[in-house]
Amino acid sequence: MANSLFAAALLLSPVLGAPAPAPQAPEVTAPASFGPDSQISASVQPSTSGYRVEVLVNGYTSATYHGPYTGTPTTVGAVPGPTTIAASIPAQPLNPTATYYNTEGVPLNPMPAPFTPAGGLGTNGSLPRYMVNSDFDFESIALGLYQEWIELDLFHDGLVRFTDEEFTAAGLGPEARSLIEFMADQETGHSTLLTNMLGERAPKQCVYNYPYTTVREWVDFMQRLTRFGESGVWGFINHLDSREVGQLLAQSIATEARQQQIFRQMSGLTPMNVWFENGWPQSWSWTMLAPYISYCPENTTRLAWQNFPTLHILNNANINRYSPNDTAQDGSETVGRRIADPSVSNITGSCENLNVTGYGCGPAIAHNKSEPLSFPGKKVLFEWEGPGSAVGPNNSYVTSTSAGAPKFVGWSQQLNLTYSPLTVTGNNSGYTYQPEGFVYDNEGIINGTMAVMLTDLDLYVTPFNTSLLNPHIVALGLYQAG
């Protein structure tokens, strides 16, 4: 019965009224009318969010409050299990069952059915169960739902906050705003899906505190936030116990990847500049997400993931400069001190309205940069926080680290985690030089919007076991490499 109910919830949605398409005309002319409104019946479904939203005069919806938390937390720290078995998970040798190798180029084992090679998971005909199937699944999908909720609110917020004139000045006309509104509507579907797969203790929507004051900063923040939203899922999706949940999650995160690309285009960045997207452990994405959540409803389900101290990149390239190398060296060109805060947009030397190939950065399908945002050999300046800061919903989570003194900078991008030596120059400050490395051929590893971290060890990890590095992370940051 539960499976049937879930299938119904998953596959059925209210049919909303919409204008009927115009009849095709033999010549291309602007139609005077698009026909009568649809007569298909519809009903407004009750909201499942934790806080009320309101409809503004411009027709967009937004939460009634955005801002910091001002109360006192009643619960502190990540949610624990009944007990913790060990301080960390040790690296192990190769799985002894991982022995298959095909030298013939043809199926080697009997086929269970015609055109069906032997193997695979969930291929034996059993009825799919689209529900989380372990604590790992529950905590991972709950984190994903926290992400979907903030995206639902964030995408709407800028549409309400800024005027038509401000959007036009930023190069985003009515059709671009309509696309952003559609992406917000996508998050309604994504949050519904993840709620269904979690069940009755699925987290509700919260109240958020955003860093931007201009359209450019809003769009920049969205390209950063969707980066850790997307990478955070790629990092855990193939570790899920429930393959069914992984299937549906992949179909939603593929949409998020498109959103991130679109927000990069709207920010004047090249839409894609890597051969492979990078996957992150859950604690990385939770570290980046939590500082932007102010309040959550009472008894909201809490998360088990770690919050690392913040790594501030003082000369993180300002994406709004026609000469990114002129970015200030003291952190003043980031709008705040939170981990994913966008670049300051109101600057002298802006590329926003510069119509010069290689230097302009207005919204576009693609831009080439004559002066890159970063490059191998760039001196990158850091400051980092110590553990113990209150972050996240109701200031009820605390940053922590189990690592020793920082010695290396880890650069996580594409299929690689690359290290460079850290030079410590003072109390929680230092620098490194951006390393050069290649994935295949001449494709440089470091590009795009990516995670960087200080570590006490240059531990060798690969895309499937990156979380083994977590006990060695001193502080975590978000680097705008390209």
Side-chain angles (χ1 to χ4, degrees):
M1 181 64 177
N3 286 334
S4 299
L5 289 174
F6 173 73
L10 179 67
L11 297 177
L12 299 181
S13 61
V15 180
L16 302 180
Q24 290 188 345
E27 66 269 2
V28 180
T29 57
S33 171
F34 288 91
D37 288 339
S38 170
Q39 299 304 305
I40 299 175
S41 61
S43 63
V44 177
Q45 301 301 301
S47 172
T48 60
S49 65
Y51 286 101
R52 184 172 62 88
V53 298
E54 60 183 357
V55 180
L56 281 299
V57 292
N58 60 3
Y60 295 119
T61 60
S62 181
T64 55
Y65 173 75
H66 292 93
Y69 177 70
T70 58
T72 301
T74 57
T75 303
V76 177
V79 62
T83 186
T84 301
I85 298 172
S88 62
I89 298 174
Q92 301 288 342
L94 189 68
N95 187 331
T97 64
T99 58
Y100 179 87
Y101 186 74
N102 192 327
T103 60
E104 304 297 326
V106 297
L108 304 179
N109 299 294
M111 289 186 172
F115 314 109
T116 308
L121 298 176
T123 61
N124 62 357
S126 59
L127 182 67
R129 178 180 182 266
Y130 295 100
M131 293 290 291
V132 293
N133 205 38
S134 65
D135 288 348
F136 182 92
D137 288 10
F138 184 93
E139 293 294 333
S140 300
I141 300 303
L143 170 61
L145 184 53
Y146 270 94
Q147 178 78 25
E148 303 296 359
W149 281 134
I150 194 174
E151 289 170 356
L152 175 61
D153 181 84
L154 172 65
F155 298 176
H156 279 126
D157 180 64
L159 296 173
V160 171
R161 186 179 299 203
F162 302 113
T163 65
D164 291 351
E165 292 75 18
E166 288 174 300
F167 275 107
T168 300
L172 298 173
E175 290 172 317
R177 300 200 292 276
S178 177
L179 176 59
I180 295 173
E181 185 179 22
F182 178 74
M183 289 190 283
D185 293 341
Q186 289 175 323
E187 300 309 323
T188 301
H190 296 175
S191 57
T192 299
L193 172 67
L194 270 60
T195 296
N196 289 342
M197 295 191 296
L198 286 167
E200 62 189 73
R201 288 312 305 267
K204 304 298 184 182
Q205 191 166 27
C206 300
V207 169
Y208 308 99
N209 184 18
Y210 298 132
Y212 47 80
T213 58
T214 68
V215 172
R216 287 281 296 184
E217 292 167 0
W218 174 54
V219 176
D220 183 10
F221 180 61
M222 290 192 291
Q223 71 89 10
R224 295 170 195 251
L225 183 130
T226 50
R227 163 49 49 227
F228 61 74
E230 179 192 347
S231 287
V233 169
W234 293 139
F236 72 71
I237 191 168
N238 284 312
H239 292 287
L240 293 171
D241 288 283
S242 173
R243 308 304 293 178
E244 300 95 324
V245 168
Q247 174 66 48
L248 299 186
L249 185 61
Q251 291 177 236
S252 69
I253 207 62
T255 302
E256 182 135 341
R258 289 163 170 81
Q259 293 173 350
Q260 209 270 337
Q261 175 175 300
I262 290 168
F263 291 137
R264 284 183 61 87
Q265 290 173 309
M266 290 181 175
S267 299
L269 300 168
T270 185
M272 50 183 176
N273 49 13
V274 292
W275 289 5
F276 305 94
E277 297 300 342
N278 194 231
W280 300 356
Q282 296 93 325
S283 291
W284 299 12
S285 54
W286 179 230
T287 295
M288 298 199 185
L289 170 60
Y292 301 98
I293 306 176
S294 295
Y295 298 78
C296 285
E298 187 177 2
N299 296 322
T300 293
T301 294
R302 297 175 62 77
L303 296 180
W305 307 113
Q306 185 175 4
N307 297 89
F308 293 107
T310 297
L311 174 63
H312 301 287
I313 305 162
L314 301 183
N315 58 340
N316 217 356
N318 189 329
I319 70 167
N320 302 300
R321 283 200 173 276
Y322 60 74
S323 180
N325 288 326
D326 291 338
T327 298
Q329 306 290 293
D330 59 0
S332 61
E333 293 199 27
T334 300
V335 301
R337 297 281 288 175
R338 285 179 286 178
I339 191 167
D341 282 356
S343 298
V344 172
S345 65
N346 292 324
I347 58 171
T348 302
S350 172
C351 55
E352 181 179 357
N353 297 307
L354 185 64
N355 189 22
V356 178
T357 300
Y359 293 94
C361 66
I365 293 175
H367 280 294
N368 287 328
K369 287 284 189 182
S370 296
E371 184 177 311
L373 298 185
S374 74
F375 50 88
K378 175 183 176 179
K379 188 176 183 179
V380 184
L381 308 177
F382 300 117
E383 287 181 354
W384 57 95
E385 299 177 4
S389 296
V391 296
N394 308 76
N395 280 341
S396 62
Y397 293 81
V398 180
T399 62
S400 66
T401 174
S402 59
K407 298 179 180 178
F408 301 94
V409 179
W411 308 76
S412 186
Q413 184 58 298
Q414 306 210 58
L415 305 180
N416 304 75
L417 202 146
T418 303
Y419 296 93
S420 61
L422 173 69
T423 299
V424 177
T425 57
N427 185 25
N428 286 20
S429 63
Y431 68 88
T432 193
Y433 292 97
Q434 182 173 317
E436 182 176 34
F438 301 93
V439 186
Y440 299 116
D441 297 329
N442 63 348
E443 168 60 9
I445 294 170
I446 296 173
N447 213 333
T449 309
M450 56 178 288
V452 294
M453 65 225 67
L454 303 186
T455 69
D456 64 357
L457 179 68
D458 55 345
L459 184 70
Y460 176 73
V461 293
T462 59
F464 200 64
N465 68 352
T466 308
S467 60
L468 293 179
L469 186 61
N470 285 355
H472 301 283
I473 294 177
V474 177
L476 182 71
L478 189 67
Y479 187 54
Q480 195 63 57

